[in-house]
Amino acid sequence: MPPEASSAARRGADALRIGGLTRLTGIDFPGRLAAVVFLQGCPWRCVYCHNPALLDAAVPGALSWPAVRAFLQQRRGLLDGVVFSGGEPTLQSALVPALAEARAMGHATGLHTGGMYPQRLAQALAHLDWVGLDVKAPRHLHDTVTGARGGAGRAARSLRLLLDSGVALECRTTWHAGLFGRDDLFRLADELAAQSVRHWVLQTCRGPASSRDVLDASDLAALALRFERFECR
């Protein structure tokens, strides 16, 4: 990267609003020991959100990108990669130059996203080695689960971008029957399989359920048949 381009990228990345940093994880970037940079802000209000403190985009960052940059520089050769998570990291335009900087340091780069901003995702793809895409619900229930209107089409465009890009992709869905029922879960599996998704992770959590909404071993086996790789966590 030419010096003037590197300087401009650095200034852009410095605007990143960072809500937190996990210095080492073995589970957020498959097959790698990585750091996780949590970015502030998300347009969705999923009821099962694990990081509600990151939802408000107006909250100032708890860490600066120069501080995180220095940490990543110090961990060159010790970490296998860095993951940008959230919140919804593609909400921030500074994501793309930050990814470019992390890559330039020699780190593999990963992204956790719900796909709300396909245009920015498209800009980020050249700087990514792996993406974990949160597939919230079958298309007709997407707005209900996310608590926001208009996201289903954007998420679908993001999925298509990722499938066409060749970047390593893990689709995952958090599910319990209080979100949507077993039949709709199978409908979602069919939607993903029809688009040639190869790797789907079902993340089950506790919620209200009737006996017909509980998954058994035969259900999991049937879901697994739709994908090259299927996991239930």
Side-chain angles (χ1 to χ4, degrees):
M1 182 182 293
E4 62 274 14
S6 176
S7 176
R10 178 166 295 200
R11 289 194 300 273
D14 285 353
L16 208 64
R17 298 186 308 282
I18 300 170
L21 173 69
T22 295
R23 293 172 178 266
L24 182 65
T25 174
I27 61 174
D28 291 284
F29 195 157
R32 298 182 185 272
L33 294 176
V36 184
V37 182
F38 293 93
L39 303 192
Q40 192 71 38
C42 183
W44 291 341
R45 295 297 182 266
C46 306
V47 295
Y48 55 81
C49 179
H50 293 292
N51 295 317
L54 296 175
L55 294 178
D56 188 348
V59 172
L63 293 167
S64 70
W65 175 247
V68 174
R69 179 195 293 129
F71 165 76
L72 293 176
Q73 287 278 14
Q74 292 168 2
R75 295 302 188 274
R76 292 173 69 180
L78 300 174
L79 289 173
D80 297 324
V82 55
V83 180
F84 290 81
S85 188
E88 172 48 60
T90 60
L91 182 149
Q92 296 193 41
S93 61
L95 169 68
V96 176
L99 281 168
E101 278 197 48
R103 262 281 191 81
M105 293 179 206
H107 294 295
T109 51
L111 176 71
H112 295 168
T113 180
M116 181 60 172
Y117 301 102
Q119 184 173 0
R120 188 156 295 135
L121 177 61
Q123 296 168 355
L125 283 173
H127 309 291
L128 285 167
D129 296 291
W130 172 86
V131 175
L133 178 67
D134 292 316
V135 181
K136 300 297 185 179
R139 185 161 183 151
H140 69 290
L141 293 175
H142 194 277
D143 290 357
T144 301
V145 171
T146 61
R149 298 180 62 183
R154 294 185 178 202
R157 291 196 294 276
S158 290
L159 175 57
R160 189 71 262 158
L161 280 169
L162 288 164
L163 291 169
D164 291 343
S165 73
V167 173
L169 173 64
E170 174 187 287
C171 291
R172 60 270 189 96
T173 299
T174 298
W175 180 79
H176 65 70
L179 293 171
F180 51 91
R182 175 186 174 280
D183 290 346
D184 281 316
L185 180 65
F186 273 79
R187 178 171 176 174
L188 174 58
D190 288 336
E191 289 177 2
L192 296 176
Q195 296 179 76
S196 300
V197 169
R198 295 181 177 182
H199 183 192
W200 188 39
V201 175
L202 181 61
Q203 301 175 146
T204 58
C205 58
R206 292 184 178 181
S210 66
S211 59
R212 68 181 297 276
D213 286 322
V214 176
L215 299 179
D216 59 23
S218 64
D219 291 322
L220 296 177
L223 291 170
L225 288 174
R226 291 160 164 81
F227 302 95
E228 186 176 305
R229 184 178 175 193
F230 173 76
E231 300 172 61
C232 185
R233 297 175 184 163

